[in-house]
Amino acid sequence: MLPLLGRIDHVGIACRDLDTAVRMYQATFGLQVASVEVNEEQGVREAMLQVGAGPAGVGAPGVGYVQLLEPLAPDTPVGRFLDRRGEGIHHVGYGVADIGQALAEIGATGIRLLDERPRHGSMGASIAFLHPGDLGGVLTELVQAAGHPR
Amino acid sequence: MLPLLGRIDHVGIACRDLDTAVRMYQATFGLQVASVEVNEEQGVREAMLQVGAGPAGVGAPGVGYVQLLEPLAPDTPVGRFLDRRGEGIHHVGYGVADIGQALAEIGATGIRLLDERPRHGSMGASIAFLHPGDLGGVLTELVQAAGHPR
């Protein structure tokens, strides 16, 4: 079987206050903000901070992101995570070339898909989550970048 | 300030049984094992599974790792993490060009260093951990690859 995962796309981090978290990552590590978006479907306001200096940014080899996630309300997945576990790493996202094919192949192994079809993710990407209960407690996201594979 | 972090080097994942976890990542995602090591200092038996097809493997641009960590004993950092939170994402590691310089610069911002001096990490790397209490609950590791920066 060929590797389905092309790269570590991002690490998703739950925070109570997005602006505070962004300032901390800028001041400590010198990271730059690539985008700030509200994703109503996921119930978050989020910032993507680029790690690594790729040529074109999104989807380029050697570029990953710290994704900071502030819940839009307590009764959202990230809001409930903060209540239960506090601030910290929420999930990991891997880049795939073809998210539809990846979901089909992974689903065929018996892993439960939280999203049967791709949803809208950061910076125009198509994303889907896999069930952490089938993956050693790790909430795992697949990411197909907009425009070209990342 | 220049970005200190060159790339997402790895995501560290705590598991109860390393061989089971390795088989799951192989079967689900087709990832290949790059190394299996015991690190007595860190109290773990661990496997590095490569994500992305870099030319030379370790430290190459576009290559990251899933690091699976099984504790050598209950009374170790990863053993206590499993007791407290169960299996799941334990930490994130970022590649730096010069770990001594990175520790000095980050320490100067007021972030507490769990390791004042680098220790031995996977695949010959030099590593150091930063205090999660100063970084939004995220246990953060710096990694300088053996031989060349990664």
Side-chain angles (χ1 to χ4, degrees):
Chain A
M1 148 180 210
L2 285 175
L4 285 172
L5 311 180
R7 44 195 290 275
I8 301 176
D9 183 81
H10 67 268
V11 176
I13 294 170
C15 62
R16 298 195 190 280
D17 184 89
L18 186 64
D19 300 331
T20 301
V22 166
R23 278 196 300 272
M24 188 269 286
Y25 272 88
Q26 289 175 323
T28 307
F29 301 118
L31 296 185
Q32 301 297 312
V33 176
S35 91
V36 177
E37 300 177 41
V38 170
N39 188 324
E40 298 277 355
E41 192 177 50
Q42 300 289 339
V44 293
R45 191 163 77 93
E46 57 162 76
M48 296 285 271
L49 283 75
Q50 186 171 328
V51 181
V58 184
V63 174
Y65 295 89
V66 172
Q67 181 186 54
L68 300 172
L69 303 160
E70 177 196 279
L72 293 177
D75 186 28
T76 57
V78 174
R80 289 189 291 270
F81 177 91
L82 285 172
D83 266 357
R84 202 169 61 241
R85 313 199 55 162
E87 292 188 315
I89 304 175
H90 178 260
H91 70 270
V92 55
Y94 298 103
V96 296
D98 181 329
I99 196 166
Q101 181 191 341
L103 284 171
E105 291 192 27
I106 292 166
T109 69
I111 304 290
R112 284 169 288 172
L113 313 178
L114 292 178
D115 300 304
E116 296 278 345
R117 296 185 181 191
R119 302 166 85 99
H120 298 293
S122 309
M123 303 168 80
S126 296
I127 64 166
F129 284 94
L130 311 177
H131 201 302
D134 292 341
L135 290 167
V138 176
L139 179 59
T140 302
E141 178 182 350
L142 306 178
V143 180
Q144 181 184 332
H148 59 104
R150 63 173 165 177
Chain B
M1 148 181 210
L2 285 174
L4 285 171
L5 310 181
R7 45 197 288 276
I8 301 176
D9 183 82
H10 66 269
V11 176
I13 295 170
C15 62
R16 298 194 190 281
D17 185 88
L18 186 64
D19 299 332
T20 302
V22 166
R23 279 196 299 272
M24 188 268 286
Y25 273 89
Q26 288 175 323
T28 307
F29 301 118
L31 296 185
Q32 301 298 310
V33 176
S35 91
V36 177
E37 299 176 42
V38 170
N39 187 324
E40 298 277 356
E41 192 177 51
Q42 300 288 339
V44 292
R45 192 163 77 94
E46 55 161 78
M48 296 285 272
L49 284 75
Q50 185 171 328
V51 181
V58 183
V63 174
Y65 296 89
V66 172
Q67 182 186 54
L68 300 172
L69 302 160
E70 177 195 280
L72 293 177
D75 185 29
T76 57
V78 173
R80 289 189 291 270
F81 177 92
L82 285 172
D83 266 358
R84 203 170 58 242
R85 312 199 56 162
E87 293 189 314
I89 304 176
H90 179 260
H91 70 269
V92 55
Y94 299 103
V96 297
D98 181 329
I99 195 167
Q101 182 192 339
L103 283 171
E105 291 192 27
I106 291 166
T109 70
I111 304 291
R112 284 169 289 172
L113 313 177
L114 292 177
D115 301 305
E116 297 277 346
R117 295 184 181 191
R119 301 166 85 97
H120 298 292
S122 309
M123 303 168 82
S126 296
I127 63 165
F129 284 95
L130 311 177
H131 201 301
D134 293 341
L135 290 167
V138 176
L139 179 60
T140 303
E141 180 182 349
L142 306 178
V143 180
Q144 180 184 332
H148 60 103
R150 63 172 167 179

